[in-house]
Amino acid sequence: MDKLAHYRQIVKQILQEHAQLSGDADAVKTQLIFDSENDHYQLNYVGWEGDKRVFGPVMHFDIEAGKIWIQYNGTEYSVAEQLVKMGVPNSDIVIGFHSPFKRQFTEYSVG
């Protein structure tokens, strides 16, 4: 399996596993959005909690120039550490929600 296909598989697996952790609430649904053509991958919550609208991303990844960009992580789950455990080298992980200046101080790629 080539690197891009492998990274797509890993990102999808992480999102699917997290979606299963979300439970089976009828009012709030999880949505998995996989755009393999443009390499955008996202887990969203959509629905209602009582009279409050719930809508928004939980996690968002992009794959760009051979690297996995963590664009958003709205959980306490360390996605970058999980990627490393799954065989992705630190040099292929970008914490996209950190500014380019701050990325130099992480153990991951600056982009």
Side-chain angles (χ1 to χ4, degrees):
M1 178 181 303
D2 73 336
K3 179 177 163 179
L4 179 58
H6 182 63
Y7 284 3
R8 286 174 175 155
Q9 179 185 13
I10 287 172
V11 166
K12 289 176 184 179
Q13 180 181 338
I14 288 172
L15 291 172
Q16 288 167 334
E17 287 173 0
H18 194 79
Q20 290 175 354
L21 295 173
S22 300
D24 295 327
D26 290 331
V28 178
K29 303 285 185 199
T30 58
Q31 288 184 337
L32 291 167
I33 301 168
F34 298 156
D35 177 0
S36 298
E37 185 175 320
N38 297 297
D39 284 316
H40 305 295
Y41 306 90
Q42 193 170 62
L43 169 64
N44 288 333
Y45 288 151
V46 178
W48 291 90
E49 284 182 351
D51 61 353
K52 181 181 176 212
R53 178 71 172 156
V54 175
F55 177 82
V58 180
M59 290 182 179
H60 180 108
F61 297 90
D62 291 328
I63 301 174
E64 186 177 318
K67 296 183 181 194
I68 298 174
W69 286 69
I70 304 168
Q71 299 291 14
Y72 182 74
N73 181 9
T75 73
E76 295 177 7
Y77 178 65
S78 178
V79 187
E81 288 178 16
Q82 184 64 30
L83 289 168
V84 171
K85 288 178 185 174
M86 296 173 86
V88 179
N90 289 19
S91 59
D92 282 355
I93 300 169
V94 180
I95 311 297
F97 56 85
H98 285 170
S99 71
F101 175 76
K102 288 183 179 179
R103 287 184 213 145
Q104 67 182 317
F105 303 113
T106 72
E107 58 191 277
Y108 304 104
S109 178
V110 295

